[in-house]
Amino acid sequence: MHKPLSAISLATGLLLSGLTFASSAQAQALDAAGLQAIDAAVTAVAPKMVNWRRDIHSHPELSGQEVRTAKLVAEHLKKLGMEVQTGVGGTGVVGTLKGGLPGKVVALRADMDALPVLENTGLPFASKAKANYLGKEVPVMHACGHDAHTAMLMGAAEVLAGMKAQLPGTIKFIFQPAEEGAPVEPDANGKVPSFGAKAMIEAGALKDVQAIYGLHITSNLPGGVVGYRSGPLMAGSDNITIHVEGRGGHGSSPWATIDPIVAASQVVMGLQTVVSRQLNISQEPAVVTIGQIQGGTRYNIIPDKVEMLGTLRTFDEDMRQEALKRITTTAESIAAASGAKASVRFGPVAYPVTTNPAQLTQASLPALNLAMGGKTMVIPKVAGSEDFSEFQKVVPGFFYFLGAPPKGKEFAKAPPNHSALFDIDEDQLPTGARSLAALAVDFLQRK
């Protein structure tokens, strides 16, 4: 469900900040000696991460279909001597590493699913895979970097398994399916089947966990730079479905019909005022977009109905509820003015706001800065969505971005996530694994 970072807004932010990086005076539990041990282990596993990433990239699997990827992950974790659960919340995998000393429980998360995108990167390991999506055969591509996320967490798992005896506590490695949103529909009772993070939570993946960390790779930050912010980081999202019903007839006699296409067009324009005129965007930004309109079968036939699909993005729950109400009222009222009828439905996919708690953010920054050599920076809010937010509803969670534009490409001009041209700099795989391992160790050692 993740959408690309805005390269323009980030570039502006970098210019305004003068390329200065964030810092924190709070002392971390992880020290330079501990990071050196992590670094040595990460260096040793780096070639494996590249191989894993390329293998997964060549064999992408859609949301809820990550069977091969899950098997690869589970076999790796078992070889590391972990307690491994498979089939968690669908195709999810959870590996549990119990340290040699008693202590807290922390989790690290990576998503595994790919997208229905035809790859156009020209890479020697480019995907040629196809799969069934909504009843159609579609090309499949890792266009959002989840192949890299999986490889990095597999690498971090190997690094931390090698430090097992010294770890004061337990680390859970959560490999999640269906982050991009499974194609689910409500059942006969109106209940939406759980998927992704929510399904894993319901299956007990967060049992005993006290904090969780996750990252997302992006080509729209400078290579090797972490972008984060405290509080709302990524928007909550709600799917919008609007049906406009009229009365069909001959295109030559529109007065004898109630034209749902004209009414739907007016609804689309009216929805633009929800953000521009009806919400107090001085508090938080919001986005309403209609991305699909379907109606009619022939040039001279006015249809009976039109269907519109769209998305709402918000950063505040009260504003979200207000927007849902305003969208409904606006669509219904405008359609009624034309003699038509609009019905509005939200979901079945709805993600909460991805919010980094201030306390966990501040406590984690020293170790993150140490692991990144100080290359961390506060970034603007991101209107894309992430179901890592579901984990954050249950336990404190910290989510951040890692810049990895392909070599030779400027981050502001690199193809964004979800593009058929999306690619990464594989040299950043060790960087991501290092940061995840460092955060986990720091959390366990921190009092």
Side-chain angles (χ1 to χ4, degrees):
M1 183 60 60
H2 175 70
K3 297 292 188 264
L5 290 163
S6 168
I8 295 176
S9 65
L10 287 176
T12 303
L14 285 166
L15 291 171
L16 291 175
S17 67
L19 282 172
T20 57
F21 296 106
S23 63
S24 175
Q26 183 177 343
Q28 70 273 0
L30 178 71
D31 57 17
L35 181 63
Q36 188 175 10
I38 290 173
D39 272 341
V42 167
T43 299
V45 78
K48 290 184 182 180
M49 284 189 278
V50 172
N51 290 335
W52 289 327
R53 184 256 167 167
R54 293 186 179 187
D55 177 56
I56 297 168
H57 190 92
S58 297
H59 302 89
E61 296 169 300
L62 292 177
S63 300
Q65 303 177 26
E66 308 90 341
V67 176
R68 182 185 184 276
T69 308
K71 182 180 179 182
L72 175 71
V73 167
E75 288 177 352
H76 175 63
L77 298 180
K78 288 175 183 177
K79 287 178 182 177
L80 297 175
M82 293 190 197
E83 174 187 316
V84 179
Q85 296 172 279
T86 59
V88 184
T91 54
V93 179
V94 178
T96 301
L97 177 65
K98 295 181 179 179
L101 303 170
K104 296 181 287 186
V105 181
V106 66
L108 300 176
R109 173 267 201 174
D111 37 14
M112 303 186 292
D113 53 330
L115 288 159
V117 173
L118 178 61
E119 182 162 358
N120 194 28
T121 60
L123 293 169
F125 51 91
S127 169
K128 296 180 177 61
K130 293 183 179 180
N132 185 279
Y133 180 72
L134 298 176
K136 297 180 180 179
E137 186 179 68
V138 296
V140 186
M141 174 192 174
H142 269 293
C144 203
H146 297 187
D147 51 340
H149 300 170
T150 301
M152 286 187 286
L153 190 54
M154 290 173 70
E158 185 161 333
V159 167
L160 293 167
M163 304 170 62
K164 177 179 178 179
Q166 293 79 40
L167 291 177
T170 298
I171 303 174
K172 283 192 173 185
F173 299 89
I174 297 178
F175 291 84
Q176 181 204 310
E179 187 280 326
E180 297 290 353
V184 296
E185 289 295 336
D187 61 20
N189 299 316
K191 180 177 172 56
V192 177
S194 296
F195 61 87
K198 193 172 183 180
M200 293 197 79
I201 293 166
E202 292 172 356
L206 288 183
K207 187 178 184 298
D208 299 325
V209 171
Q210 292 160 280
I212 185 168
Y213 292 93
L215 65 77
H216 206 299
I217 205 159
T218 176
S219 60
N220 296 140
L221 271 176
V225 172
V226 155
Y228 75 96
R229 69 179 298 114
S230 181
L233 170 68
M234 300 182 70
S237 69
D238 290 272
N239 285 16
I240 306 168
T241 302
I242 303 175
H243 288 100
V244 178
E245 295 183 17
R247 185 175 66 246
H250 202 290
S252 67
S253 308
W255 53 83
T257 74
I258 297 175
D259 192 335
I261 290 181
V262 172
S265 301
Q266 293 170 334
V267 169
V268 171
M269 296 307 296
L271 290 177
Q272 307 311 303
T273 68
V274 171
V275 172
S276 68
R277 290 295 182 272
Q278 300 181 51
L279 297 178
N280 184 358
I281 56 173
S282 67
Q283 296 177 345
E284 292 286 358
V287 175
V288 177
T289 294
I290 297 298
Q292 183 177 346
I293 302 178
Q294 293 181 327
T297 58
R298 199 169 189 270
Y299 72 94
N300 65 344
I301 299 175
I302 294 174
D304 289 318
K305 59 186 178 180
V306 170
E307 181 184 69
M308 297 182 287
L309 305 178
T311 184
L312 167 68
R313 306 292 169 123
T314 51
F315 291 90
D316 175 82
E317 182 58 29
D318 289 340
M319 183 178 285
R320 174 188 175 233
Q321 293 301 325
E322 181 69 13
L324 295 175
K325 181 177 70 175
R326 297 277 186 167
I327 289 169
T328 301
T329 301
T330 298
E332 291 177 347
S333 300
I334 290 176
S338 300
K341 180 182 179 181
S343 59
V344 182
R345 178 170 66 90
F346 299 100
V349 176
Y351 289 173
V353 179
T354 302
T355 303
N356 289 329
Q359 185 175 357
L360 182 63
T361 301
Q362 290 305 311
S364 303
L365 280 181
L368 186 60
N369 276 318
L370 180 66
M372 298 303 300
K375 292 182 178 180
T376 65
M377 62 178 294
V378 177
I379 59 173
K381 294 182 177 76
V382 177
S385 301
E386 244 284 349
D387 78 342
F388 185 84
S389 55
E390 295 286 357
F391 295 120
Q392 292 176 317
K393 288 173 63 178
V394 181
V395 299
F398 180 72
F399 196 73
Y400 58 100
F401 289 96
L402 172 63
K407 283 186 173 66
K409 292 190 178 180
E410 297 178 37
F411 74 92
K413 298 179 181 179
N417 301 67
H418 287 219
S419 165
L421 297 170
F422 179 76
D423 191 22
I424 65 163
D425 176 7
E426 292 178 327
D427 286 349
Q428 299 307 327
L429 296 175
T431 307
R434 180 194 305 116
S435 66
L436 289 168
L439 287 167
V441 171
D442 179 70
F443 180 83
L444 293 182
Q445 292 181 343
R446 197 166 61 236
K447 294 182 180 179

